[in-house]
Amino acid sequence: MADYSFLPQEKSIHIVVFTGGAYPEPAVTAAYWQTHTPGYVIAADSGLEAAERYARFYAGTADFTPLRILGDFDSLSDGTMLARYPAGIVERFPSDKDWTDTELALDRAYSTAAGKNCVPFVTLVGGDGGRLDHLLALYDTFASPHHAHAWLLSAQTLYYVADATTVEISGLAETDTVSVARTGVSRTGGTLVSHGFKWESGVFRREGMPSISNRISDEYAAEGKPVTLSADGVPVLLIVPYTAEVRFRRTENR
């Protein structure tokens, strides 16, 4: 699997969390799993249905068998599904709670990584569409220490870009859109530096969402060069098509 840590002494683990709601068709995410092999899988409530579908589709290629299943299971279409798994990996929670099943799964992802003395890279699959309050709760998790690093939505992928981090974005077509959003940490502040966009960071909005529906520049597209985006001072969210390949590195010369 890929190494998601920045320091050579750190050991990383890729944890995949499946949650309820709309999720991408397994086939369209194939390129993602080629560089992000699952290391540990958690299913939250009806995310179990998505996990099983991915497991069937990628059988023999990647293992999406859940090692932890949790939630109140109020949205699971077939409660008998749980009987297929050892009781010891199933955690039941009451329906009346202030935490969503996704938030509980993200917390479990981080505690699992800590128990293995690993640095987690968390991919969240699903959670798109449906109830607005659940969608807002998911967005709010990116302001929390226990957040996903990549979120596979129905039609796009969202990446968390931490402070002092640079991302290289390859595989963009001239018509692909790239957007940059802020987390709930701050509506303003921080510095963004980009290279290769049609509209560069010098004209990004300084308040609210910095850049919506940006594209790769004609020059970078013609030369096949990766677009880069660096965040300094605040984390941001990068939203790209599935076909894009995103690589992280610590920002140099800070």
Side-chain angles (χ1 to χ4, degrees), residues 99-182:
W99 301 92
T100 66
D101 293 331
T102 306
E103 290 174 296
L104 293 171
L106 290 172
D107 284 345
R108 179 66 67 240
Y110 277 78
S111 63
T112 297
K116 297 177 180 293
N117 293 317
C118 290
V119 176
F121 183 96
V122 181
T123 297
L124 177 63
V125 183
D128 203 357
R131 289 174 50 176
L132 178 60
D133 51 353
H134 280 190
L135 191 62
L136 289 174
L138 267 172
Y139 167 74
D140 192 56
T141 62
F142 290 101
S144 164
H146 292 179
H147 56 76
H149 300 86
W151 184 9
L152 275 58
L153 296 143
S154 299
Q156 296 170 298
T157 302
L158 180 151
Y159 290 93
Y160 179 92
V161 183
D163 175 25
T165 301
T166 296
V167 291
E168 294 185 353
I169 313 162
S170 304
L172 289 173
E174 294 179 65
T175 56
D176 285 337
T177 59
V178 178
S179 296
V180 183
R182 292 181 180 273

Side-chain angles (χ1 to χ4, degrees), residues 14-94:
H14 180 205
I15 300 181
V16 181
V17 174
F18 286 93
T19 192
Y23 59 88
E25 289 293 319
V28 303
T29 62
Y32 183 84
W33 305 116
Q34 288 177 5
T35 53
H36 298 77
T37 305
Y40 192 97
V41 177
I42 299 174
D45 206 303
S46 60
L48 179 59
E49 298 170 17
E52 289 197 349
R53 188 174 175 202
Y54 270 65
R56 290 192 298 271
F57 185 87
Y58 287 103
T61 303
D63 188 1
F64 287 97
T65 304
L67 298 177
R68 178 66 55 182
I69 304 169
L70 56 79
D72 53 32
F73 304 114
D74 61 347
S75 59
L76 193 64
S77 63
D78 181 4
T80 64
M81 293 175 65
L82 296 174
R84 295 199 285 265
Y85 298 90
I89 73 168
V90 179
E91 294 182 76
R92 290 183 178 272
F93 291 85

Side-chain angles (χ1 to χ4, degrees), residues 179-197:
S179 296
V180 183
R182 292 181 180 273
T183 71
V185 171
S186 175
R187 182 172 165 75
T188 62
T191 302
L192 296 176
V193 177
S194 68
H195 299 283
F197 281 122

Side-chain angles (χ1 to χ4, degrees), residues 184-235:
V185 171
S186 175
R187 182 172 165 75
T188 62
T191 302
L192 296 176
V193 177
S194 68
H195 299 283
F197 281 122
K198 194 172 186 68
W199 298 283
E200 290 286 27
S201 47
V203 298
F204 281 9
R205 291 173 53 180
R206 298 183 182 277
E207 183 176 289
M209 194 162 180
S211 182
I212 303 176
S213 298
N214 212 330
R215 298 193 296 275
I216 189 172
S217 70
D218 295 340
E219 175 189 352
Y220 272 59
E223 297 180 10
K225 295 168 63 175
V227 173
T228 63
L229 175 73
S230 300
D232 189 6
V234 293

Side-chain angles (χ1 to χ4, degrees), residues 4-6 10-14 113-114 117-121:
Y4 303 105
S5 63
F6 289 119
E10 292 179 338
K11 179 183 174 184
S12 62
I13 182 172
H14 180 205
N117 293 317
C118 290
V119 176
F121 183 96

